[in-house]
Amino acid sequence: MTMARRHPIFSAIYDLFNAPAEYFGMREARAKIVSGLHGRILEVGVGTGLNLQHYSAGATVIAFEPDLTMLRRAVPKLDGARANVVLVAADAQMLPFKSGSFDAVVATLVFCTIPDADAALAELRRVLKSSGAMHFMEHVRAPGQFGASIQDALDPLWSRVFAGCHPNRDTAEAFRRAGFRIEHFEHRQRGIVISGTAVPAS
Ligand SMILES: C[S@@+](CC[C@H](N)C(=O)[O-])C[C@H]1O[C@@H](n2cnc3c(N)ncnc32)[C@H](O)[C@@H]1O
């Protein structure tokens, strides 16, 4: 198992680099994913905390992240949060939480980067209640052969520049392998951005 490396430069430019995308729709997409959630929520790879302002008052959010250079940039976002948010240093591949202890899992733009996404999904499946759901938004492998082959060609350079992000992962398939059933699904940008809800299959 590989612990996440620290990426101080990526962390420092992350919010600025994402600002145009946030302005042109990502902010609303984040709000749509998390604002209706209640109970005890686990956010995976919280990064610089761009989702935190969107959770509702009354929710309890345990938001974790293994890269401390990212996590420290999430700390100022706590001031704008209405929910009760706790930031934790942890790795999705080996979670320090009891089985069945969360009502919901939130994952945005993380399964592209987690070194062993299958191990992480097995852990998330374990800590999620059987009545719970995982709410996701991910960029994934292009549905067509042409787009996917471009992603495959870009992957070695892309992953170096973007802190271990792999543009060519079939994340929906990884959800199914881990025992999740995709209940609600939307895609945009020619199928390379997917969002929706996945629930324990049994
Ligand atoms: C592209 S950033 C997304 C950050 C945030 N979720 C967002 O929506 O802006 C990917 C994040 O995944 C985190 N990550 C990498 N490996 C991880 C792991 N093993 N467990 C949890 N998070 C991880 C990275 O440190 C980084 O913060």
Side-chain angles (χ1 to χ4, degrees):
M1 185 175 300
T2 321
M3 282 295 285
R5 288 173 41 209
R6 295 183 182 191
H7 297 94
I9 297 171
F10 182 75
S11 308
I13 63 170
Y14 189 79
D15 286 2
L16 192 63
F17 181 78
N18 280 298
E22 296 293 323
Y23 183 79
F24 289 109
M26 191 67 98
R27 194 170 180 279
E28 282 71 20
R30 291 180 185 279
K32 185 175 165 196
I33 290 169
V34 309
S35 62
L37 303 180
H38 298 284
R40 204 172 128 83
I41 302 159
L42 182 66
E43 181 170 335
V44 186
V46 64
T48 61
L50 292 174
N51 292 327
L52 297 181
Q53 63 184 306
H54 301 297
Y55 287 98
S56 298
T60 295
V61 183
I62 313 297
F64 73 89
E65 166 62 50
D67 182 338
L68 299 185
T69 65
M70 292 294 267
L71 192 63
R72 64 184 275 269
R73 291 183 185 276
V75 173
K77 313 279 198 320
L78 293 173
D79 291 338
R82 284 164 295 165
N84 175 29
V85 181
V86 181
L87 297 176
V88 176
D91 185 324
Q93 301 160 118
M94 193 173 61
L95 290 173
F97 305 114
K98 260 175 65 175
S99 301
S101 54
F102 290 94
D103 299 295
V105 166
V106 168
T108 60
L109 312 176
V110 288
F111 293 115
C112 51
T113 302
I114 295 173
D116 186 343
D118 286 336
L121 281 160
E123 278 292 83
L124 295 168
R125 173 84 175 75
R126 177 181 70 75
V127 301
L128 185 62
K129 290 180 182 171
S130 55
S131 58
M134 178 169 68
H135 303 266
F136 61 87
M137 173 172 58
E138 294 289 324
H139 70 87
V140 297
R141 189 172 185 80
Q145 186 53 43
F146 180 66
S149 61
I150 291 176
Q151 290 175 324
D152 289 341
L154 283 176
D155 182 62
L157 179 62
W158 184 286
S159 61
R160 289 177 71 93
V161 173
F162 295 108
C165 168
H166 298 278
N168 55 351
R169 288 191 176 167
D170 187 346
T171 298
E173 188 49 40
F175 290 169
R176 293 186 195 101
R177 270 200 307 276
F180 284 98
R181 178 168 53 80
I182 296 176
E183 210 180 46
H184 172 69
F185 183 77
E186 289 175 21
H187 60 86
R188 56 183 186 277
Q189 294 182 12
R190 297 174 184 268
I192 63 169
V193 177
I194 62 171
S195 55
T197 307
V199 296
S202 51

